Amino acid sequence: MSVLREPLRLSTASGTGAIFDHGSHVVSWRPAGQSEVLWMSGTSTFDSGTAIRGGIPICFPWFGSGRDSTLIPAHGFARLTSWTLVDVVERDGAVTATHSLLDTRLTQNAFPHRFMAVHTARFGEHLDVHLSVENLGDSEFSYEAALHTYLRVGDSRQISVHGLDGVDYIDKVDGASLKTQEGDLTVAAETDRIYRTGSGVDVIDPVLGRTVHVRMSHSADTVVWNPWITRATALADFDDDGWQSMVCIEGANVLENAISLAPGEIHSMGYQLSVGALA
Ligand code: TA6
């Protein structure tokens, strides 16, 4: 295990961002004129053996402990692996960092398939993230994936998440029971839900006086997580009071929405953040 070097810090007139090769993990995005949009834990470890707590972890090729709840490490190996920086390109006022990850003998132990994953993060007026996976082998495989975004908010108890009304969700803090959202989502207890939609949400934040627009492409699920008091305290790398200033809004393809890829096929999922006035 070794300590991670500094992230790649990127800056244009439209904003700044930062990304580690470890996990191809975005840890900062600050559009011009705004405060930081992503939440980072003050107690996150930055070493090669653990996942960074905050920013945008990439969960791949499974989510949590996988579809049969047996897999380790949690959320797959992608966030624990150093990706290869392919290039950094500045264009039209934004800068894009591209990383790739190929299967290795080590990944094949856990996930016996040949693949190439490519992650692009475009830092500009918007933050645009894409994760594509190509099947390089000669038989079909399936995988789960999530862009597990930690959003920084003024006070999680005062936000409302708009865009999920009428959507079915799996409530992981209530025995994975299936429920239907009524109205906007507010956070008033531990929240860990898989909403069966990828149509995007708006996070209305009266304390920071802004709305964060979350848009997704080719994601069938939206995961919403806030650990609340007890879980936050139990997690060593999570600030005890960190639950007050974050909410995870994740674009995902999990459980029966896992992606199947035939040989040579590619699937690409996208996630975009932009900041607007308080709705
Ligand atoms: O996305 C929500 C979730 O799967 C929760 O169940 C919670 O455990 C969280 O991710 C964090 O997982 P981690 O492995 O990073 O501690």
Side-chain angles (χ1 to χ4, degrees):
M1 203 146 53
S2 56
V3 174
L4 299 181
R5 289 188 323 214
E6 279 291 290
L8 177 64
R9 296 188 192 281
L10 303 162
S11 176
T12 66
S14 58
T16 61
I19 185 166
F20 277 94
D21 292 342
H22 181 69
S24 188
H25 198 129
V26 175
V27 289
S28 170
W29 173 56
R30 189 171 173 180
Q34 288 290 339
S35 56
E36 177 63 54
V37 178
L38 300 177
W39 180 87
M40 278 297 300
S41 173
T43 52
S44 177
T45 48
F46 292 95
D47 64 57
S48 58
T50 53
I52 295 166
R53 176 70 70 191
I56 312 185
I58 297 174
C59 305
F60 170 81
W62 56 83
F63 182 76
S65 52
R67 282 163 279 176
D68 59 5
S69 305
T70 58
L71 302 178
I72 51 167
H75 290 321
F77 47 74
R79 64 179 184 161
L80 300 171
T81 309
S82 186
W83 292 49
T84 302
L85 181 63
V86 178
D87 60 20
V88 178
V89 175
E90 192 168 344
R91 189 176 296 142
D92 301 330
V95 58
T96 303
T98 301
H99 284 90
S100 67
L101 180 70
L102 282 167
D103 61 283
T104 62
R105 232 177 311 158
L106 219 61
T107 67
Q108 294 228 2
N109 289 337
F111 184 71
H113 307 289
R114 302 219 38 228
F115 68 85
M116 179 165 72
V118 175
H119 178 239
T120 59
R122 181 178 188 272
F123 302 89
E125 194 185 333
H126 300 167
L127 175 66
D128 278 292
V129 170
H130 282 90
L131 173 69
S132 31
V133 178
E134 179 175 3
N135 183 347
L136 299 181
D138 49 18
S139 57
E140 179 168 311
F141 67 73
S142 69
Y143 67 95
E144 294 176 295
L147 297 164
H148 193 305
T149 309
Y150 288 74
L151 293 180
R152 174 177 162 267
V153 297
D155 183 341
S156 57
R157 294 160 293 194
Q158 294 189 50
I159 60 167
S160 39
V161 180
H162 179 74
L164 297 171
D165 186 25
V167 175
D168 289 344
Y169 65 92
I170 297 166
D171 190 347
K172 288 175 70 180
V173 297
D174 188 14
S177 52
L178 191 65
K179 299 180 180 174
T180 303
Q181 179 67 34
E182 287 176 26
D184 284 352
L185 164 67
T186 52
V187 178
E190 184 182 347
T191 303
D192 193 353
R193 302 178 178 180
I194 302 172
Y195 285 88
R196 313 318 313 250
T197 183
S199 59
V201 300
D202 291 330
V203 179
I204 298 154
D205 186 337
V207 174
L208 293 184
R210 67 188 185 189
T211 301
V212 176
H213 305 286
V214 182
R215 298 292 176 264
M216 302 170 190
S217 59
H218 305 291
S219 289
D221 299 300
T222 302
V223 179
V224 180
W225 181 55
N226 181 292
W228 208 247
I229 303 160
T230 313
R231 284 247 336 115
T233 312
L235 291 168
D237 62 349
F238 205 108
D239 309 314
D240 285 355
D241 60 358
W243 59 275
Q244 294 176 31
S245 54
M246 57 70 68
V247 66
C248 283
I249 305 282
E250 313 167 29
N253 289 298
V254 302
L255 301 171
E256 67 279 6
N257 292 327
I259 305 298
S260 290
L261 285 184
E265 258 188 332
I266 302 178
H267 180 271
S268 182
M269 62 195 282
Y271 185 99
Q272 184 191 74
L273 294 177
S274 58
V275 179
L278 193 59

